[in-house]
Amino acid sequence: MITDEKLHHILGVARKCYAIAKSNGESEDFCRKMFMIGWMHDVGYEFLPDGNATGHPKVSEEMYLSCLDPTTQAVNEFSNTSNAIQFHGHLPDIVSKEWMILNMADMTIDHTGKEVDVHERLDSIKKRRGQETYELAYKVAQKVGLIE
């Protein structure tokens, strides 16, 4: 279930995705797409038992794909979107611009929606999710260039 704090995190990530894309000189359409990626990235929490954090990206991606008309090219056109949502917080084989922006935003917005330094976010992840999740999040932060 999505808590009020998680809802603030989701909105914060969506807004941060938009801002990052805008600051990178992306088109308004792409910036809005990034807002939606940020909005969708954690929606899967709503449909998982409390405490089951590991499955939420896949549920979020499935929900995103269910909104598309499979008879159009939309599914193919949005594969980078789908992969960014499904693999956020993980290290995918193929890294898209969408994945980079989503993870930059996710690693700088805390679980309450407040913008924070990446190290503060990592400390919070370690306290709430444990060492293994912290180590993965650290590698993601490195991959997107937030940590050397």
Side-chain angles (χ1 to χ4, degrees):
M1 177 174 255
I2 295 175
T3 63
D4 288 346
E5 280 187 341
K6 179 60 73 180
L7 187 58
H8 290 293
H9 167 76
I10 291 169
L11 179 58
V13 170
R15 288 176 172 164
K16 182 76 175 192
C17 283
Y18 179 92
I20 292 169
K22 196 73 159 168
S23 71
N24 287 345
E26 300 293 344
S27 70
E28 183 64 21
D29 284 345
F30 185 84
C31 294
R32 289 179 181 192
K33 173 182 155 180
M34 287 310 310
F35 181 92
M36 288 308 300
I37 290 172
W39 186 254
M40 291 293 298
H41 87 286
D42 276 350
V43 76
Y45 275 107
E46 183 67 18
F47 304 97
L48 294 172
D50 290 344
N52 181 357
T54 57
H56 83 274
K58 183 66 177 160
V59 174
S60 297
E61 182 221 14
E62 289 168 357
M63 291 180 65
Y64 165 75
L65 290 174
S66 73
C67 296
L68 300 177
D69 178 356
T71 64
T72 69
Q73 286 189 310
V75 173
N76 292 331
E77 290 172 10
F78 291 103
S79 63
N80 284 347
T81 301
S82 174
N83 288 338
I85 293 168
Q86 181 181 357
F87 295 112
H88 79 274
H90 294 84
L91 296 169
D93 293 334
I94 299 170
V95 173
S96 66
K97 182 175 13 179
E98 291 87 345
W99 181 89
M100 292 288 287
I101 292 171
L102 174 58
N103 282 282
M104 287 174 141
D106 200 21
M107 292 305 302
T108 56
I109 301 295
D110 76 4
H111 67 285
T112 68
K114 184 177 102 181
E115 190 161 350
V116 294
D117 174 84
V118 65
H119 296 289
E120 187 177 338
R121 176 77 167 131
L122 287 167
D123 289 344
S124 173
I125 289 169
K126 187 174 187 178
K127 287 177 193 163
R128 290 179 302 108
R129 303 281 185 217
Q131 183 66 29
E132 187 176 328
T133 303
Y134 165 82
E135 289 173 10
L136 179 57
Y138 191 93
K139 289 176 184 173
V140 169
Q142 284 179 312
K143 185 78 171 174
V144 300
L146 294 171
I147 298 174
E148 288 187 29

